[in-house]
Amino acid sequence: VQLVESGGGSVQAGGSLTLSCALSGDTDKSHCMGWLRQAPGREREGVEATSGDGRTSYADSVKGRFTISQDNVKNTLYLQMNSLKPEDTGMYYCAARVGFHCPSGSRWRDVSGYDYWDQGTQVTVS
């Protein structure tokens, strides 16, 4: 499995960015797909995730501002980020877990819940 992410950058507070993550290999299997971020000096943790049936989980800090979606034809995951805040600054990672469901409870936010990762992209909000 390979994940290739694009779309990071710098933006002013209140602005928007869209991240994309293309999945290749193992595309015939179901995956839980997630976006995780690592702010400076903090641990990497989940922002949003979506399971094979389209159910989504999200962190309270991004509720109403971030939206996860996926194009199953293009095997691409997206994260639309609106109303960005300086505290959204960090490295954003796309991750995949083989299986239909995402980890239950809050475990979808943990790095151990995923099998594959991309290289990450920097998002800076000033």
Side-chain angles (χ1 to χ4, degrees):
V1 172
Q2 185 177 15
L3 301 170
V4 179
E5 183 179 350
S6 61
S10 297
V11 66
Q12 291 188 339
S16 298
L17 282 174
T18 301
L19 305 181
S20 301
C21 174
L23 169 70
S24 61
D26 250 9
T27 56
D28 58 332
K29 297 181 180 178
S30 295
H31 293 87
C32 162
M33 301 293 296
W35 290 100
L36 294 88
R37 72 182 176 194
Q38 187 164 17
R42 301 190 64 176
E43 294 185 351
R44 194 179 305 183
E45 60 181 4
V47 174
E48 287 207 50
T50 182
S51 62
D53 61 358
R55 296 184 184 185
T56 59
S57 302
Y58 55 86
D60 288 341
S61 61
V62 304
K63 181 180 179 180
R65 300 188 299 121
F66 290 13
T67 302
I68 191 171
S69 62
Q70 56 184 354
D71 184 327
N72 291 324
V73 175
K74 296 181 179 179
N75 293 313
T76 300
L77 181 74
Y78 302 97
L79 184 67
Q80 175 66 44
M81 303 184 291
N82 298 326
S83 302
L84 282 160
K85 304 176 181 179
E87 50 263 44
D88 295 318
T89 294
M91 284 292 290
Y92 282 70
Y93 297 88
C94 171
R97 169 189 173 94
V98 178
F100 193 76
H101 296 291
C102 291
S104 61
S106 62
R107 291 189 298 123
W108 67 270
R109 301 196 68 191
D110 193 87
V111 296
S112 64
Y114 300 89
D115 303 308
Y116 304 101
W117 295 84
D118 77 325
Q119 77 285 357
T121 190
Q122 178 67 36
V123 171
T124 301
V125 185
S126 59

